[in-house]
Amino acid sequence: MNRFENKVALVTGSTQGIGAACALRLAADGADIILNGHSPKDERSEKLIQQIEGMGRRAAFIQADVGKVADVTKLINDAVSTFGQLDILVNNAGVEKNHDFWDVTEEDYDYVMDTNLKGVFFGIQAFVKYCMSTNRGGVVINMSSVHEEIIFPHFAAYCTSKGGLKMLTRNLATELAPLNIRVNNVAPGAIATPINKKLEETPKLMENVLKNIPMKRMGKPEDVAALVAFLASDDATYVTGSTYFVDGGLTYHYEEQ
Ligand SMILES: NC(=O)c1ccc[n+]([C@@H]2O[C@H](COP(=O)([O-])OP(=O)(O)OC[C@H]3O[C@@H](n4cnc5c(N)ncnc54)[C@H](O)[C@@H]3O)[C@@H](O)[C@H]2O)c1
C-alpha cells in the first residue's frame, strides 16, 4: 500500500518497541522515515534503516533528547532538512518510573514530565511553526496511554504526563484545525515491549494484568502501529482531537468475579 507516497514521517523514540513498529509500518505504507533516539545511532537503528530502505523508502536517524526543548526543536528542524519536508509527527518517546508517591523526587518527576509532556508540547510547537512558514498541513499523533484515563498507583508522574497529553490534544485540535493540522492520541494498553520486560518476566504480575484484559493477551507493537498508520492517513482526514484506545478491551473492562 502506498498511502504515504511523498510523505515524510518523524517517529520519536523509534529504536525499539512501539516506535520501531510505527516506523516500519509507516514505511511499509509508503512514507520516508526519520528515526530518533536519545543515544547515538546503534545497530538497532542501522537494522531499521536497512529494513526501511529494503522497502524502497528513505530513512535517516537523528539523535536528540526530546526531553530538552532546544533538542526537540532542533530535531524537528533537522528532520525537515533531511528529506526537505515533514508531514507526520509521531510523538512516541516516553518513559515511566515506579515509585510510591511519597518517594518521588523532583528529578524523577522532571525526567517523566519532560520526556512525556514538555518535549511533546514544544516538539509540536516547532512542527506547527514549520507548517505555518511553508503553508502546509500536517498530522500529529501522540503516544499516550490507557493511563491518560485510568489510574496506575505508584506511577503518579506517568499518569500526570499522559493526562496532560489528553488535554493538550483536545486543545490543539481546535486551535490547529484552521491550519489543517490534525492532532490525535493513541492510547495503548499492555503492549509487549522492553518497557514491560519486568512484567513479562514475572508470572504473578502477568496473571494479574491479564485478568483485566478481556482479550487475555498483551498487545503487539504492530497492533499499535496499525492504528497510528490509520490516523496518519487520509482515511482519517475528519478525525482530530480524540484518543483511540488499542488495549484489548482493558480500559472499559468490568466483570463480576
Ligand atoms: N508498552 C506499553 O505497554 C505501553 C502502554 C501504554 C503507553 N505506552 C507508550 O508508548 C510509548 C513507547 O513505549 P514502548 O513500550 O515502546 O517503550 P520502550 O521503552 O520500548 O521505547 C521507548 C523509546 O523512547 C526512547 N526515549 C526515551 N526517552 C527519550 C528521550 N528523552 N528522547 C528520545 N527518545 C527517548 C527510548 O530510548 C526508547 O527507544 C511511550 O510513550 C509509552 O509511554 C507504552
Side-chain angles (χ1 to χ4, degrees), residues 13-19 36-38 64-67 92-95 115 143-146 158 162 188-191 193-196:
S14 45
T15 55
Q16 64 178 35
I18 291 171
N36 155 257
H38 67 339
D65 177 349
V66 300
N92 167 76
V95 292
T115 310
M143 200 57 67
S144 180
S145 165
V146 292
Y158 184 77
K162 299 300 187 181
I191 310 296
T193 71
I195 216 173
N196 281 323

Side-chain angles (χ1 to χ4, degrees), residues 121-141:
F121 188 107
F122 286 101
I124 298 174
Q125 189 186 69
F127 180 58
V128 168
K129 285 182 182 174
Y130 155 72
C131 293
M132 291 171 81
S133 69
T134 51
N135 210 16
R136 306 167 68 90
V139 180
V140 177
I141 294 154

Side-chain angles (χ1 to χ4, degrees), residues 14-16 19-20 23-24 27-28 31-37 40-63 82-83:
S14 45
T15 55
Q16 64 178 35
L24 289 172
D32 294 326
I33 303 294
I34 311 283
L35 300 165
N36 155 257
K41 189 177 182 185
D42 60 18
E43 64 284 355
R44 293 171 306 174
S45 314
E46 296 283 8
K47 191 169 166 227
L48 284 166
I49 289 173
Q50 276 174 17
Q51 282 176 277
I52 293 166
E53 288 178 346
M55 296 172 194
R57 307 315 320 169
R58 296 178 293 175
F61 171 87
I62 301 177
Q63 181 188 356
T82 302
F83 296 132

Side-chain angles (χ1 to χ4, degrees), residues 2-251:
N2 252 5
R3 59 181 168 177
F4 299 124
E5 193 153 19
N6 299 322
K7 302 268 189 202
V8 179
L10 163 63
V11 186
T12 68
S14 45
T15 55
Q16 64 178 35
I18 291 171
C22 290
L24 289 172
R25 176 59 195 259
L26 292 170
D29 288 1
D32 294 326
I33 303 294
I34 311 283
L35 300 165
N36 155 257
H38 67 339
S39 309
K41 189 177 182 185
D42 60 18
E43 64 284 355
R44 293 171 306 174
S45 314
E46 296 283 8
K47 191 169 166 227
L48 284 166
I49 289 173
Q50 276 174 17
Q51 282 176 277
I52 293 166
E53 288 178 346
M55 296 172 194
R57 307 315 320 169
R58 296 178 293 175
F61 171 87
I62 301 177
Q63 181 188 356
D65 177 349
V66 300
K68 297 198 169 86
V69 174
D71 286 26
V72 76
T73 304
K74 186 170 182 314
L75 169 65
I76 299 292
N77 295 333
D78 288 351
V80 170
S81 322
T82 302
F83 296 132
Q85 68 188 69
L86 186 61
D87 306 280
I88 300 161
L89 170 61
V90 182
N91 288 307
N92 167 76
V95 292
E96 62 183 34
K97 285 246 174 192
N98 178 354
H99 285 301
D100 293 332
F101 173 70
W102 44 91
D103 285 335
V104 176
T105 63
E106 185 177 357
E107 192 188 351
D108 296 330
Y109 176 92
D110 286 344
Y111 171 65
V112 173
M113 294 296 284
D114 287 358
T115 310
N116 296 6
L117 188 58
K118 187 175 173 185
V120 175
F121 188 107
F122 286 101
I124 298 174
Q125 189 186 69
F127 180 58
V128 168
K129 285 182 182 174
Y130 155 72
C131 293
M132 291 171 81
S133 69
T134 51
N135 210 16
R136 306 167 68 90
V139 180
V140 177
I141 294 154
N142 299 319
M143 200 57 67
S144 180
S145 165
V146 292
H147 299 299
E148 73 161 48
E149 199 64 45
I150 62 176
I151 64 150
F152 195 9
H154 315 289
F155 288 84
Y158 184 77
C159 292
T160 305
S161 70
K162 299 300 187 181
L165 276 187
K166 175 178 169 179
M167 278 314 294
L168 180 63
T169 288
R170 304 294 186 271
N171 210 70
L172 293 188
T174 299
E175 199 169 340
L176 303 181
L179 302 174
N180 194 24
I181 299 172
R182 295 190 293 107
V183 190
N184 287 293
N185 280 8
V186 165
I191 310 296
T193 71
I195 216 173
N196 281 323
K197 194 164 175 283
K198 185 170 162 226
L199 168 65
E200 290 187 81
E201 289 170 355
T202 316
K204 185 69 198 153
L205 269 181
M206 181 62 98
E207 196 187 311
N208 287 340
V209 167
L210 293 184
K211 268 190 206 150
N212 288 312
I213 304 176
M215 287 191 169
K216 298 298 171 215
R217 68 166 175 92
M218 289 185 75
K220 300 187 291 271
E222 293 75 17
D223 295 327
V224 182
L227 180 56
V228 168
F230 163 71
L231 289 171
S233 79
D234 285 347
D235 287 337
T237 43
Y238 198 54
V239 179
T240 196
S242 292
T243 296
Y244 295 84
F245 291 84
V246 49
D247 66 354
L250 167 70
T251 304

